[in-house]
Amino acid sequence: MITITDLQTALLDLLQKIQDSEIKLIIGGGFGIYLKTNHVKRLDMRTLLDQWPEPRSTNDLDLFLRPELLIESSKLKPLVNAIAALDYQVVPGAENYQFVRPGPGGTDAGSVKIDILTGPQSCFKGTRVKADNRRARPKPSVGMHAHPIDEALALVEGLLSISLGGTLSSGETCESEIFLPHPYTFSMMKLFAFKDRLDDPDKEFGRYHALDLYTILATTTEDEWKYALQLRDQYENDPFTIEAARLVSEYFSAPERLGMIRLRESPYYRPELQNEKFMSVLQELFPIGA
């Protein structure tokens, strides 16, 4: 089974190969949440909640590309070359935006999966990028697509820059800059991911998405919260914001709601978690009728 350390090494290997390019990766998913948690712990920052879940395991790297990289697709060539050089293989059916590097002996155990994602389809209106619900395809083609996340309305707003350092698989050390999505964007994405996985037994019925949503808000700093409220007001009339508020009301507005049940069912859940405050903060960020 892959460890967080293994995943960090895999990311550093990739970052080292693109370090001289214009590509600045935004790291989402469970690993992005892990990095954010470590960041606020290391700096001893004051956050919205002081009780956090245990870090959950993951073998995925969710790499978000700024839309302009797809619009000017030649800038993506260093990333395409790096993924190939590191022996990642395309995932059948998701060619050009999902890649996997098998574990020792070509097994699934110890494998690392990369998902290439980007912002909403609307970012590509009037450009040469052909975007639909599944893919954003640059033109000219460079052998890389990205999966658009329509609810990531503020993907490039309020990004957190952190320095990630450690040991490469070669044994050398490397330090590189990465970016993490703002908690407003991260929360929005997790709400929709929870809805999509609610009835999926292969994805634990959304339990880890509910846990991630708690962790995102728990590790939100005071300055991030102030900016989150500005983003809330900025996007209050967007259909995805309105739907996010509905999801909060339906699944996370009371202890007996299914989202809160799924949170408590997570193997990483702890009884000390501040569920009432979590629900209050979430409803303030995505209020019904805002």
Side-chain angles (χ1 to χ4, degrees):
M1 182 175 179
I2 192 167
T3 67
I4 288 291
T5 301
D6 295 330
L7 205 59
Q8 182 159 320
T9 298
L11 178 56
L12 286 168
D13 285 345
L14 188 63
L15 291 168
Q16 192 268 339
K17 288 190 175 298
I18 63 171
Q19 63 182 352
D20 296 325
S21 74
E22 297 181 50
I23 300 171
K24 301 297 182 183
L25 294 176
I26 303 169
I27 313 300
F31 190 61
I33 294 171
Y34 167 81
L35 293 175
K36 172 62 182 302
T37 302
N38 270 7
H39 176 73
V40 295
K41 276 183 178 178
R42 186 175 67 253
L43 298 181
D44 195 23
M45 304 176 81
R46 186 174 179 181
T47 56
L48 288 183
L49 307 179
D50 55 26
Q51 294 296 322
W52 305 343
E54 298 176 23
R56 70 173 179 87
S57 61
T58 179
N59 73 333
D60 293 358
L61 289 173
D62 287 354
L63 308 182
F64 281 84
L65 303 179
R66 290 170 170 81
E68 60 263 28
L69 287 172
L70 293 154
I71 294 168
E72 298 183 55
S73 57
S74 62
K75 294 181 178 179
L76 283 175
K77 289 180 180 178
L79 181 59
V80 175
N81 294 337
I83 287 175
L86 291 168
D87 297 325
Y88 285 89
Q89 303 168 8
V90 297
V91 174
E95 289 84 357
N96 293 344
Y97 69 93
Q98 288 186 354
F99 305 87
V100 65
R101 189 180 68 193
T107 63
D108 288 340
S111 64
V112 176
K113 181 168 172 281
I114 290 177
D115 287 339
I116 306 294
L117 307 111
T118 190
Q121 296 175 61
S122 59
C123 294
F124 304 106
K125 287 182 179 178
T127 75
R128 293 186 296 173
V129 176
K130 184 178 179 182
D132 55 30
N133 289 336
R134 191 175 182 190
R135 298 172 185 263
R137 301 172 176 87
K139 187 178 180 179
S141 174
V142 291
M144 177 168 287
H145 300 163
H147 176 61
I149 305 296
D150 286 335
E151 62 270 21
L153 305 174
L155 176 63
V156 298
E157 299 184 55
L159 292 169
L160 175 64
S161 168
I162 67 172
S163 179
L164 182 66
T167 305
L168 302 170
S169 55
S170 65
E172 301 174 60
T173 58
C174 173
E175 188 165 327
S176 188
E177 182 183 35
I178 59 164
F179 294 85
L180 304 178
H182 189 273
Y184 176 86
T185 300
F186 234 151
S187 297
M188 181 90 82
M189 291 192 291
K190 283 298 173 182
L191 277 169
F192 281 83
F194 174 79
K195 178 193 71 171
D196 293 342
R197 301 304 188 187
L198 193 56
D199 299 315
D200 188 347
D202 293 332
K203 297 295 183 179
E204 300 182 17
F205 299 102
R207 293 185 185 103
Y208 68 84
H209 289 307
L211 183 92
D212 285 348
L213 187 56
Y214 180 103
T215 307
I216 290 163
L217 290 177
T219 57
T220 296
T221 66
E222 291 181 312
D223 286 343
E224 286 175 329
W225 179 245
K226 290 175 185 176
Y227 191 57
L229 297 181
Q230 293 178 33
L231 292 172
R232 174 198 66 187
D233 296 343
Q234 178 180 337
Y235 292 103
E236 64 179 343
N237 295 319
D238 189 276
F240 285 97
T241 304
I242 294 169
E243 174 63 5
R246 188 194 68 78
L247 294 175
V248 169
S249 178
E250 181 172 355
Y251 296 118
F252 294 96
S253 59
E256 67 274 11
R257 298 289 188 178
L258 190 54
M260 296 306 298
I261 293 172
R262 291 285 190 262
L263 172 63
R264 296 193 298 272
E265 289 174 346
S266 169
Y268 300 96
Y269 178 79
R270 297 190 300 112
E272 296 82 9
L273 298 188
Q274 298 160 276
N275 292 353
E276 290 293 335
K277 189 169 182 181
F278 163 65
M279 288 187 291
S280 175
V281 167
L282 191 55
Q283 291 173 81
E284 186 176 354
L285 190 57
F286 299 109
I288 283 287

